[in-house]
Amino acid sequence: MSSKINVAILGATGAVGTELLELLASRQFPVNKLKLLASPRSAGTKLSFRGEELTVEAVGDDSFADVDLVLASAGGSTSKVYAPKAVAAGAVVVDNSSAFRLDPNVPLIVPEINPEAAKAHQGIIANPNCTTILMAIAVYPLHQVSPVKRIVVATYQSASGAGARAMEEVKTQAQAILNGETAKPEIFPHAIAFNLFPHNSPLNDNGYCEEEMKMVNETRKIFNAPELRVSATCVRVPVLRAHSEAVNLEFAQPFNRDRAREILAKAPGVKLVEDWGANYFPMPVDATNRDEVLVGRIRQDISHECGLELWLCGDQIRKGAALNAVQIAELLVKENLLRSAATVSV
Ligand code: A2P
């Protein structure tokens, strides 16, 4: 395995794609050649990487010859078509879509939690859903000390989760309303500026939407805890790019909040943000552009002797997507897990 890696970003022009580009440079990932792929709409667009101007290409069947690693963030339908082609061409794909996350042959990785699962990959590794990653980073260190029995979570999700054009829509709608006009929803189904709405992913028969069920099923897979009970309510709010979550945890035993604080103060990927005197706790503006998940307002649940409440904010584009994907890529390099997929079909 060469120490310099040929990388392709699929979805390079998107909100996560541009962040992947920045992270590969700032974290000095050992890139040899970098290929930028998107839809035909943006073929010819120039993006800069380490001071060099690169041209975006339309993805096609032949895009992956000589590529060792694909970081894919172009939606599930694109991944379903191109991830198997990339694997067949000898690349390992770190996929940010939901297409393969629950496939038993595809590891679902948060490097701070289950890095060892990457060893079993067969060419595709899935990057979990953003709200799930942020919650898992905060809950897992506690779960390791005393198993969590049940999680009840409410999310406050920023526009970035729906992509770069959705972030623009928050601004244009806000401007329109401030100008006395009516907000015209284009990307979102409802007005997002000065409003919020339950997450608009498709509803399941059980009444939960897909985003909520991702939090249930993906947390179980990442924690390797198939019996874990999770109930989520996901809400889209007019915040640009960091998600917030109110998390209620029920343990088998009482969990002292000071002990929880001590554990989270040292937990990887977590920054404890609590100033009880100033009533200051994590906020999305503080989490924006940060790698850590900000956790605070840890308190004993007054309604249950084994319950704990906490509040968190995390940058959806960074730890919720691009950073986690790059950390997985770093893990693949460190553990020499690239190219091993070349002979395995998906
Ligand atoms: P494009 O800019 O050409 O549409 P976001 O999550 O911010 O909406 O970004 C989605 C990313 O996925 C963009 O880079 C977008 O490219 C890319 N993409 C969307 N659909 C396709 C497709 N069918 N084939 C390749 N790339 C796609």
Side-chain angles (χ1 to χ4, degrees):
M1 178 80 244
S2 139
S3 60
K4 285 281 197 171
I5 294 150
N6 293 339
V7 181
I9 299 178
L10 175 55
T13 49
V16 174
T18 47
E19 194 74 15
L20 285 167
L21 201 63
E22 194 279 310
L23 285 168
L24 289 176
S26 62
R27 292 173 74 92
Q28 297 173 334
F29 190 81
V31 176
N32 182 32
K33 279 189 273 176
L34 181 62
K35 197 175 238 192
L36 303 182
L37 302 169
S39 81
R41 285 183 292 272
S42 30
T45 304
K46 308 273 185 205
L47 295 173
S48 144
F49 176 65
R50 297 192 303 214
E52 200 187 327
E53 213 170 59
L54 301 179
T55 306
V56 176
E57 298 167 39
V59 65
D61 290 355
D62 304 327
S63 295
F64 306 102
D66 200 27
V67 170
D68 303 304
L69 172 70
V70 180
L71 301 172
S73 192
S77 52
T78 308
S79 283
K80 275 188 187 145
V81 173
Y82 290 104
K85 293 181 198 288
V87 173
V92 177
V93 179
V94 178
D95 183 39
N96 194 45
S97 81
S98 59
F100 304 102
R101 287 182 189 146
L102 298 182
D103 183 329
N105 295 320
V106 174
L108 183 66
I109 307 276
V110 179
E112 291 87 342
I113 298 175
N114 61 341
E116 69 293 337
K119 292 189 177 135
H121 84 76
Q122 299 181 22
I124 300 175
I125 294 182
N127 204 38
N129 161 267
C130 48
T131 44
T132 307
I133 295 177
L134 303 177
M135 181 174 81
I137 280 281
V139 174
Y140 191 72
L142 306 175
H143 175 72
Q144 270 182 307
V145 172
S146 175
V148 176
K149 278 174 57 183
R150 178 170 181 249
I151 304 175
V152 179
V153 56
T155 71
Y156 306 72
Q157 297 183 219
S158 60
S160 56
R165 291 171 62 217
M167 294 168 79
E168 277 310 304
E169 181 152 296
V170 176
K171 294 187 217 166
T172 50
Q173 284 189 5
Q175 196 63 60
I177 291 171
L178 291 172
N179 289 343
E181 298 156 17
T182 313
K184 288 196 200 72
E186 285 175 13
I187 306 296
F188 289 119
H190 314 290
I192 180 71
F194 305 106
N195 192 26
L196 55 80
F197 48 84
H199 199 282
N200 56 297
S201 53
L203 293 167
N204 286 11
D205 289 343
N206 64 8
Y208 286 75
C209 69
E210 279 185 6
E211 183 80 356
E212 291 161 350
M213 291 312 295
K214 286 176 188 173
M215 297 192 80
V216 176
N217 295 320
E218 295 182 24
T219 306
R220 288 175 172 166
K221 182 167 174 177
I222 297 162
F223 284 16
N224 192 20
E227 307 296 321
L228 180 63
R229 285 182 284 162
V230 182
S231 178
T233 300
C234 292
V235 177
R236 187 74 75 186
V237 297
V239 169
L240 281 181
R241 70 171 273 171
H243 290 352
S244 305
E245 301 181 28
V247 186
N248 180 275
L249 302 171
E250 182 190 329
F251 297 89
Q253 314 284 335
F255 204 128
N256 178 273
R257 72 169 185 173
D258 293 329
R259 189 153 171 247
R261 269 197 204 108
E262 280 167 26
I263 292 163
L264 288 172
K266 294 186 214 136
V270 171
K271 169 120 181 91
L272 196 59
V273 175
E274 289 195 318
D275 184 341
W276 288 85
N279 204 343
Y280 184 89
F281 301 103
M283 293 186 284
V285 286
D286 293 339
T288 296
N289 285 319
R290 289 197 60 154
D291 287 350
E292 307 96 335
V293 176
L294 310 185
V295 184
R297 257 196 116 220
I298 301 164
R299 58 212 190 278
Q300 230 68 61
D301 177 351
I302 55 170
S303 73
H304 196 293
E305 62 283 6
C306 297
L308 209 57
E309 293 275 4
L310 56 87
W311 169 255
L312 65 87
C313 298
D315 188 312
Q316 180 274 324
I317 299 179
R318 267 180 116 85
K319 186 57 190 169
L323 173 63
N324 199 71
V326 172
Q327 287 176 308
I328 293 171
E330 290 167 348
L331 177 68
L332 293 171
V333 174
K334 184 167 152 243
E335 300 290 335
N336 206 13
L337 293 170
L338 287 170
R339 284 287 176 194
S340 56
T343 55
V344 181
S345 60
V346 173

